[in-house]
Amino acid sequence: MVRFFSLLVGFLSIQFALAQTQKIPFQPMDVFALEWATDPQISPDGTQVVYKRNGFDIMKDNANGNLWIVNADGSSHRKLTSREVSESQASWSPTGDRIVFSSTTDEGSEIYMYWTATGQIAKISQLEKSPSSLTWSPDGKWIAFTMFIAEKPPVVAKLPEKPKGAKWAEPARITDRLKHEADGSGYMAPGFTHVFIIPADGGTARQLTSDNYSHRGNLSFSPDGKEIYFSSNRIEDWEYRFRNSEVYKVNVATKQITALTSQDGPDHSPQVSPDGKTVAYLGFEDRVQDHQNTLLQLMNNDGSNKRIISSNFDNSVSDITWDASGKGLYFMYDEKGNSKIGYITTSGKITKLADNVGGTTIGRPYASGSYSVSQNGTLVYTQSRPEYPAELAVIQNKKEARLITNLNADVLAFRELGKTEEVWYKSTFDDRDIQGWIVKPPFYDPSKKYPLLVENHGGPILNYGDRFTAEIQLFAAAGYVVFYPNPRGSTSYGEEFGNLLKNNYPGQDYNDVMDGVDYLVEKGIVDNDRLYVTGGSAGGIMTTWMIGKNHRFKAAAVIKPVVNWISKTLVADNYYGYAEKRYEGQPWENFETYWKFSPISLVGNIETPTMVMVGMNDLRTPPSEAKQLYHALKLRKVETVLVEIPEAYHNIAQRPSNLISKVAHILAWFENYE
């Protein structure tokens, strides 16, 4: 990967640090110099790791990444190929002699092969669309993958032919689908995703699945290579039973598809055991609530003898991988705001193997990350701490984790970051223990009282944790103590805690956040007369709710909020998913409840100067929501400003310049009310 700007920033940082004999706080332009590792894949013998090394392109204002390879002891760290295009989805062959990956071309994304002995690469496919879920057959002769196949849109009216050379308006866009758009990509072309197989030496891809159903997620071969296991929603009325999916297998030769599960709920992520007799998968029977733990389940390869092996584990299980012996599986989970890797035997005994997984979400400290494991049990994963985004860490022979990369030494070694500290306090509503974190300003002076900036997380069924966060570091560098809590409804504290918001959101999660504010004030850490609050998405909901409930904050920044559940529910890209799960019934069936929990219902109480920000292409919390709040505040003559980010979807900070702009606008607004 070309790192001219990163190296330039590093060089200038070093010169400045040497001249000043001290570090400086994290700077907005440092965002462009950050790098982070994703999707590490360890070789079968445990000696090498290939991974995607990501960074920001300052000229194109986006993230890009190439594949790199490093020995498991950290030596011989080098770029996998000489190509300067996007590369991803690396996967070692069963014998470790080749690496398959996907990469962009002028015509689109294709499948490539890399030979480890010679370093040669070759394109082995010629596909209509981008491939996903690249998976080796056990004998190394085939690559299975999924790919979208377009369908024709419906036709309502037949129009006359336009004259040759005429410049008529674009034809009407017509859809009859329940889900027809998606935040981040916009309008969804009609069609379905199917399973394919292609020779590992190159050739013609053969489609294995058919019919009008989509087949997504990971794929898993049987040991003899004759069957591929996958998940789909091949049921009657699948469009409206969208929370459901089942595990299937397809015969590679005959294309016969067999359903293996049938419970009403999301069964997915099948993984076949080394001996082929058992299939592990994830899912649960849907009880239609805000949060349910994802369970690890086993069944025979014909679908019989289903059993749950993680029922005594009160956290969701994800990213499962069989060990070489077939006696248990590796998996990921979140616990108290920290992502971990565990091992579970087929009888249900769990052992924690690693902490601090994550660091692949650069903006804010959400859960993320991935891992892989070799045949001899060597474990590689993306590790993050508040001091650095995702680096590669290796665990061998049950020893302590050891970092084998240091991607940001050229920048972060010369920055004084805000120190992150864990806090626990009691909820005044029901005496529950609530967890949060504070980030103190660089060069913190304990004799001073600092202004407090509350950062509410999104979801709300998600979690923040002790992970690197560029946005919060920039807030701290501006002189704020930043507080980010995990109130009730957050994940990683068990199913009951995560489901406390069912038919009650926002509810006592408001009390949990304010109790944290009071805790910090009582401890003398922050100045009660200088309180500020912000948050995005569900965090924007909470921020609006907070300033509607009290007048303690000097200023607020409401980012991409929902303020009216009635209008949002019927306009957003996920409009079909709220009834019964968030509130009982549809908005026209339960108008009073939907309105009761809409922050706009409190707008008559708001006196806090409020900035409202939204991406102009946001389909998840549409701009109409932000405008409702802004217009209401303007009518009430409350100090307010509307900031609209052009060409941005819900993830405003996806482009690094927008991340910087978002933080700069929030800080500038707050500075008006110091």
Coordinates of all heavy atoms in Angstrom, one line a residue, residues 41-50 68-78 92 95-97 99 116 372-380 392 394-396 402 404:
Q41 N -5.7 -14.3 8.5 CA -5.9 -15.7 8.2 C -4.5 -16.4 8.3 O -3.6 -16.1 7.7 CB -6.4 -15.9 6.7 CG -7.7 -15.2 6.5 CD -8.9 -15.9 7.2 OE1 -8.9 -17.1 7.3 NE2 -9.7 -15.1 7.8
I42 N -4.5 -17.3 9.3 CA -3.2 -18.0 9.6 C -3.1 -19.2 8.7 O -4.1 -19.9 8.4 CB -3.1 -18.3 11.1 CG1 -1.7 -18.7 11.5 CG2 -4.1 -19.4 11.5 CD1 -1.4 -18.6 13.0
S43 N -1.9 -19.5 8.3 CA -1.6 -20.7 7.5 C -1.9 -22.0 8.3 O -1.9 -22.0 9.5 CB -0.2 -20.7 7.0 OG 0.7 -20.8 8.1
P44 N -2.2 -23.1 7.6 CA -2.6 -24.3 8.2 C -1.5 -24.8 9.2 O -1.8 -25.4 10.3 CB -2.7 -25.3 7.1 CG -3.2 -24.5 5.9 CD -2.4 -23.2 6.1
D45 N -0.2 -24.5 8.9 CA 0.8 -25.0 9.8 C 1.2 -23.9 10.9 O 2.1 -24.1 11.7 CB 2.1 -25.3 9.0 CG 2.7 -24.1 8.3 OD1 2.2 -23.0 8.5 OD2 3.7 -24.3 7.6
G46 N 0.5 -22.8 10.9 CA 0.6 -21.8 12.0 C 1.9 -20.9 11.9 O 2.2 -20.3 12.8
T47 N 2.5 -20.9 10.7 CA 3.8 -20.1 10.6 C 3.6 -18.8 10.0 O 4.5 -17.9 10.2 CB 4.8 -20.9 9.8 OG1 4.3 -21.1 8.4 CG2 5.1 -22.3 10.4
Q48 N 2.5 -18.5 9.2 CA 2.4 -17.3 8.5 C 1.0 -16.7 8.6 O 0.0 -17.5 8.7 CB 2.8 -17.4 7.0 CG 4.2 -17.7 6.7 CD 4.5 -17.8 5.3 OE1 4.0 -18.7 4.6 NE2 5.3 -16.9 4.8
V49 N 0.8 -15.4 8.5 CA -0.5 -14.8 8.6 C -0.6 -13.8 7.4 O 0.2 -13.0 7.2 CB -0.7 -14.0 9.9 CG1 -2.0 -13.3 9.9 CG2 -0.4 -14.9 11.1
V50 N -1.7 -14.0 6.6 CA -2.1 -13.0 5.6 C -3.2 -12.2 6.1 O -4.1 -12.8 6.8 CB -2.4 -13.7 4.3 CG1 -3.6 -14.6 4.4 CG2 -2.6 -12.7 3.2
W68 N -1.3 -8.2 3.0 CA 0.0 -8.3 3.5 C 0.2 -9.6 4.2 O -0.7 -10.3 4.5 CB 0.3 -7.1 4.5 CG 0.6 -5.8 3.9 CD1 -0.3 -5.1 3.2 CD2 1.8 -5.0 4.0 NE1 0.2 -3.9 2.8 CE2 1.5 -3.8 3.2 CE3 3.0 -5.2 4.6 CZ2 2.5 -2.8 3.1 CZ3 3.9 -4.2 4.4 CH2 3.7 -3.0 3.7
I69 N 1.5 -10.0 4.3 CA 1.8 -11.3 4.9 C 2.9 -11.1 5.9 O 3.8 -10.3 5.7 CB 2.1 -12.4 3.8 CG1 2.2 -13.8 4.4 CG2 3.4 -12.0 3.1 CD1 2.2 -14.9 3.4
V70 N 2.9 -11.8 7.0 CA 3.9 -11.7 8.1 C 4.0 -13.1 8.7 O 3.1 -13.9 8.8 CB 3.5 -10.6 9.1 CG1 2.1 -11.0 9.7 CG2 4.5 -10.4 10.1
N71 N 5.2 -13.4 9.1 CA 5.5 -14.6 9.9 C 4.8 -14.5 11.2 O 4.7 -13.4 11.8 CB 7.0 -14.9 10.0 CG 7.6 -15.3 8.7 OD1 7.0 -15.6 7.7 ND2 9.0 -15.2 8.7
A72 N 4.5 -15.7 11.8 CA 3.8 -15.7 13.1 C 4.6 -15.1 14.2 O 4.1 -14.8 15.3 CB 3.3 -17.1 13.4
D73 N 5.9 -15.1 14.0 CA 6.8 -14.4 15.0 C 7.0 -13.0 14.8 O 7.8 -12.3 15.5 CB 8.1 -15.2 15.1 CG 8.9 -15.1 13.8 OD1 8.5 -14.4 12.9 OD2 10.0 -15.7 13.7
G74 N 6.4 -12.4 13.8 CA 6.5 -11.0 13.5 C 7.5 -10.6 12.5 O 7.6 -9.4 12.1
S75 N 8.3 -11.5 12.0 CA 9.3 -11.3 11.0 C 8.8 -11.3 9.6 O 7.7 -11.8 9.4 CB 10.5 -12.3 11.2 OG 10.0 -13.6 10.9
S76 N 9.6 -10.8 8.7 CA 9.3 -10.8 7.3 C 7.9 -10.3 6.9 O 7.1 -10.9 6.2 CB 9.4 -12.3 6.7 OG 9.4 -12.3 5.3
H77 N 7.7 -9.1 7.4 CA 6.4 -8.4 7.2 C 6.5 -7.7 5.8 O 7.3 -6.8 5.6 CB 6.2 -7.4 8.3 CG 4.8 -6.8 8.4 ND1 4.5 -5.7 9.1 CD2 3.7 -7.2 7.7 CE1 3.2 -5.4 8.9 NE2 2.7 -6.3 8.1
R78 N 5.6 -8.1 4.9 CA 5.7 -7.6 3.6 C 4.4 -7.6 2.9 O 3.4 -8.3 3.3 CB 6.7 -8.5 2.8 CG 6.3 -9.9 2.6 CD 7.4 -10.9 2.4 NE 7.0 -12.2 2.1 CZ 6.8 -13.1 3.1 NH1 6.9 -12.8 4.4 NH2 6.4 -14.4 2.8
W92 N -6.3 -19.4 2.9 CA -5.2 -20.3 2.6 C -5.9 -21.6 2.1 O -6.9 -22.1 2.5 CB -4.4 -20.7 3.9 CG -3.6 -19.6 4.4 CD1 -3.9 -18.6 5.3 CD2 -2.2 -19.3 4.1 NE1 -2.9 -17.8 5.5 CE2 -1.8 -18.2 4.8 CE3 -1.3 -20.0 3.3 CZ2 -0.5 -17.7 4.8 CZ3 0.0 -19.5 3.2 CH2 0.4 -18.3 3.9
T95 N -3.5 -27.1 2.1 CA -2.1 -27.5 2.3 C -1.2 -26.3 2.5 O 0.0 -26.5 2.7 CB -1.6 -28.3 1.1 OG1 -1.8 -27.6 -0.1 CG2 -2.4 -29.6 1.0
G96 N -1.8 -25.1 2.3 CA -1.0 -23.9 2.5 C -0.1 -23.5 1.4 O 0.8 -22.6 1.5
D97 N -0.3 -24.1 0.2 CA 0.5 -23.8 -1.0 C 0.0 -22.6 -1.8 O 0.7 -22.1 -2.7 CB 0.6 -25.0 -1.9 CG -0.7 -25.5 -2.4 OD1 -1.7 -25.3 -1.8 OD2 -0.7 -26.0 -3.6
I99 N -3.0 -19.1 -1.9 CA -3.9 -18.2 -1.2 C -4.9 -17.7 -2.2 O -4.5 -17.1 -3.2 CB -3.2 -17.0 -0.5 CG1 -2.2 -17.5 0.6 CG2 -4.2 -16.0 0.1 CD1 -1.3 -16.4 1.1
T116 N 2.3 -19.6 -3.0 CA 3.2 -19.2 -2.0 C 4.7 -19.5 -2.3 O 5.6 -18.8 -1.9 CB 2.8 -19.9 -0.7 OG1 2.9 -21.3 -0.8 CG2 1.5 -19.4 -0.2
S372 N -8.4 -16.1 13.4 CA -8.4 -17.4 12.7 C -7.4 -18.3 13.5 O -6.6 -17.8 14.3 CB -7.9 -17.3 11.2 OG -6.6 -17.0 11.1
V373 N -7.5 -19.6 13.3 CA -6.7 -20.6 14.1 C -6.1 -21.6 13.1 O -6.8 -22.0 12.2 CB -7.6 -21.2 15.2 CG1 -8.7 -22.0 14.6 CG2 -6.8 -22.0 16.1
S374 N -4.9 -22.0 13.4 CA -4.2 -23.0 12.5 C -4.5 -24.4 13.0 O -5.2 -24.6 14.1 CB -2.7 -22.8 12.6 OG -2.2 -23.1 13.9
Q375 N -4.0 -25.4 12.3 CA -4.3 -26.8 12.6 C -3.7 -27.2 14.0 O -4.2 -28.0 14.7 CB -3.7 -27.7 11.6 CG -4.5 -27.7 10.2 CD -5.9 -28.2 10.3 OE1 -6.1 -29.3 10.9 NE2 -6.8 -27.5 9.8
N376 N -2.6 -26.5 14.4 CA -1.9 -26.8 15.6 C -2.4 -25.9 16.8 O -1.8 -25.9 17.9 CB -0.4 -26.7 15.5 CG 0.1 -25.3 15.2 OD1 -0.7 -24.4 15.2 ND2 1.4 -25.2 14.9
G377 N -3.4 -25.1 16.5 CA -4.0 -24.3 17.6 C -3.4 -22.9 17.8 O -3.8 -22.2 18.7
T378 N -2.5 -22.5 16.9 CA -2.0 -21.1 17.0 C -3.1 -20.2 16.6 O -3.8 -20.3 15.5 CB -0.8 -20.9 16.0 OG1 0.3 -21.8 16.5 CG2 -0.3 -19.5 16.1
L379 N -3.3 -19.2 17.4 CA -4.4 -18.2 17.2 C -3.9 -16.9 16.8 O -3.0 -16.3 17.5 CB -5.2 -18.2 18.5 CG -6.5 -17.4 18.6 CD1 -7.6 -18.0 17.8 CD2 -6.9 -17.2 20.1
V380 N -4.5 -16.3 15.8 CA -4.2 -14.9 15.4 C -5.5 -14.1 15.4 O -6.5 -14.6 15.0 CB -3.5 -14.8 14.1 CG1 -4.3 -15.4 12.9 CG2 -3.1 -13.4 13.7
L392 N -2.2 -7.0 14.8 CA -2.3 -8.5 14.8 C -1.6 -9.0 16.1 O -0.5 -8.6 16.4 CB -1.5 -9.1 13.6 CG -2.1 -8.8 12.2 CD1 -1.3 -9.6 11.2 CD2 -3.6 -9.2 12.2
V394 N -0.8 -12.8 18.3 CA -0.7 -14.2 18.2 C -0.6 -14.9 19.5 O 0.1 -14.4 20.4 CB 0.5 -14.6 17.3 CG1 0.8 -16.1 17.4 CG2 0.3 -14.1 15.9
I395 N -1.3 -16.0 19.7 CA -1.2 -16.8 20.9 C -0.8 -18.2 20.5 O -1.4 -18.8 19.6 CB -2.6 -16.9 21.7 CG1 -3.0 -15.5 22.2 CG2 -2.4 -17.9 22.8 CD1 -4.3 -15.5 22.9
Q396 N 0.4 -18.6 21.0 CA 0.9 -19.9 20.7 C 1.2 -20.7 21.9 O 1.6 -20.2 22.9 CB 2.2 -19.8 19.9 CG 2.1 -19.2 18.5 CD 3.4 -19.0 17.8 OE1 4.3 -18.3 18.4 NE2 3.6 -19.5 16.6
R402 N 0.9 -12.0 22.0 CA 2.0 -11.2 21.6 C 1.7 -10.5 20.3 O 1.3 -11.0 19.3 CB 3.2 -12.2 21.4 CG 4.5 -11.5 20.9 CD 5.6 -12.5 21.0 NE 5.3 -13.8 20.3 CZ 5.4 -14.0 19.0 NH1 5.9 -13.0 18.2 NH2 5.0 -15.2 18.5
I404 N 2.4 -8.8 16.8 CA 3.4 -9.0 15.8 C 3.4 -7.9 14.7 O 4.2 -8.0 13.8 CB 3.2 -10.4 15.1 CG1 1.9 -10.5 14.4 CG2 3.4 -11.5 16.1 CD1 1.7 -11.7 13.5

